[in-house]
Amino acid sequence: MREPLSGVEQHRLVDEWANGVELYDVPAVSGLIERGRRVPSLRTAVRCGGHIRTYAELYGHLDGGAIGATGPSMDGLAQLLRAIAESARTGSVLPLDGCGIGLTPAALAAAADDRRAVVADHRPCSTDRAFGSAEVRLFASRWDCADAAVELLAALADGATLVLATEAERTDPAALAELIASSAATHVVAEAHTLAAIADLPAPTLPSVRRWDVIGTDCPAILSGLLRSIAPGSVAGFAYTATEYAGVAARGPLDGTGRVRPIPGARVLVLDEQRRVVAPGVTGEVYLGGAALTVATAGSAREFVTDPYETGQLARTGARGHWTADGWLVFDVAESLLVATTSAVTETLELAELLPGDEDVDYAAA
């Protein structure tokens, strides 16, 4: 039988360590969408495979224009933007078909605000004041439901170009390096194992990259040095994501330890089978709550539970981890990898897989 935690220890685990700093002044979704209207109309808004959509085309569809014929992945993004705008207008939950979850406007706004704040931390560069941002954000990971909405909204609000790596590109290190180079990507979001595979290539040079956002539950010690050697002067960070939480839930340094702490507005608890907090050093299951928590939709297999320590809901992620003595969350890599592999089998179709020739599936309710 475990020793009970003292009041001070429990307070640290369920309050000080569990919660990111409080959010304030988060821009509304409608305001973020409107910011995109100020971007030069001929700038590329989204690129996937051989297809692109300009800001004029994307916002033309938002205003009622025809989708066009640029492939189902582009059509899905156009439909998603329209669904985001409708959700913001009515205050309703944005349903994400096939994922079993939905996003409230407040959750989407919080996640997009965090994404925009993080990409602002990068190697200095010059910006043309007449044309605004010259950022090219490349996303080379699974396009789970909430991620698509967050990345799209944040990129449009900043006038950036969003590049989606196809499955073939992100599973082939040489193809991914070529995509980064050819698109002149300034920010790259990818899983740790995806970027680590680039280490086997003959010294690629990717000078356009100013920031690397590495996601996962484990990061190889070699990765930090590798990324900075192929993109001199770039900055890098490590982040934990989960389908049940829009965007990123926790971040930490890219130093090989895999340690993270909750981002502003997020709540992270490590609980035992009875949903009690566990002491530092003891492995438990990771639960997520906070500002960008998704909600379950009808028939969802996702498990949301009542927070046992404060008002609110938590999502059961299935990931395993523990707190260190100084308040960092570290994942049990073997157990978390097993959970991730199992859940991936039942995930919905990825947006990046919906390329010409695949089934034309609507990504979001129009």
Side-chain angles (χ1 to χ4, degrees), residues 246-336:
V248 167
R251 284 198 179 87
L254 188 67
D255 59 4
T257 64
R259 56 189 175 130
V260 294
R261 283 175 174 160
I263 68 164
R267 179 167 171 78
V268 181
L269 291 175
V270 182
L271 308 178
D272 63 15
E273 291 80 0
Q274 286 74 45
R275 296 189 185 133
R276 300 171 301 182
V277 289
V278 297
V282 177
T283 297
E285 187 168 355
V286 177
Y287 287 75
L288 296 178
L293 186 67
T294 62
V295 296
T297 55
S300 173
R302 308 285 177 186
E303 186 172 355
F304 291 82
V305 300
T306 301
D307 190 324
Y309 296 100
E310 65 178 42
T311 302
Q313 294 286 301
L314 297 173
R316 184 179 184 183
T317 68
R320 308 280 294 175
H322 67 271
W323 292 107
T324 65
D326 53 353
W328 291 94
L329 175 64
V330 177
F331 292 91
D332 183 313
V333 178
E335 293 189 45
S336 294

Side-chain angles (χ1 to χ4, degrees), residues 57-324:
E57 291 169 332
L58 203 56
Y59 277 85
H61 173 64
L62 176 61
D63 295 333
I67 293 179
T70 52
S73 56
M74 294 292 100
D75 296 349
L77 279 172
Q79 293 171 352
L80 177 59
L81 180 59
R82 180 179 282 183
I84 290 172
E86 179 63 16
S87 170
R89 185 184 68 82
T90 62
S92 58
V93 172
L94 171 67
L96 300 167
D97 294 349
C99 300
I101 57 173
L103 273 175
T104 65
L108 179 54
D113 186 59
D114 171 75
R115 180 73 183 123
R116 297 178 65 213
V118 168
V119 297
D121 177 21
H122 55 61
R123 185 184 70 202
C125 68
S126 59
T127 301
D128 187 326
R129 293 181 180 273
F131 290 96
S133 171
E135 294 176 357
V136 178
R137 302 176 186 175
L138 191 151
F139 195 90
S141 185
R142 287 180 54 86
W143 274 86
D144 287 328
C145 308
D147 290 335
V150 172
E151 293 291 337
L152 178 62
L153 184 59
L156 295 179
D158 290 337
T161 295
L162 179 62
V163 179
L164 289 68
T166 65
E167 182 181 15
E169 289 167 334
R170 67 176 184 266
T171 54
D172 180 342
L176 179 58
E178 172 59 27
L179 178 63
I180 295 173
S182 64
S183 64
T186 56
H187 301 78
V188 177
V189 180
E191 295 181 16
H193 65 83
T194 300
L195 294 174
I198 296 179
D200 295 329
L201 299 178
T205 301
L206 303 171
S208 67
V209 180
R210 304 199 303 271
R211 179 177 179 87
W212 305 90
D213 288 311
V214 182
I215 57 179
T217 54
D218 178 43
C219 57
I222 190 178
L223 195 52
S224 178
L226 167 68
L227 296 180
R228 289 179 172 86
S229 67
I230 62 179
S234 62
V235 298
F238 184 64
Y240 168 62
T241 65
T243 302
E244 298 83 2
Y245 197 87
V248 167
R251 284 198 179 87
L254 188 67
D255 59 4
T257 64
R259 56 189 175 130
V260 294
R261 283 175 174 160
I263 68 164
R267 179 167 171 78
V268 181
L269 291 175
V270 182
L271 308 178
D272 63 15
E273 291 80 0
Q274 286 74 45
R275 296 189 185 133
R276 300 171 301 182
V277 289
V278 297
V282 177
T283 297
E285 187 168 355
V286 177
Y287 287 75
L288 296 178
L293 186 67
T294 62
V295 296
T297 55
S300 173
R302 308 285 177 186
E303 186 172 355
F304 291 82
V305 300
T306 301
D307 190 324
Y309 296 100
E310 65 178 42
T311 302
Q313 294 286 301
L314 297 173
R316 184 179 184 183
T317 68
R320 308 280 294 175
H322 67 271
W323 292 107
T324 65

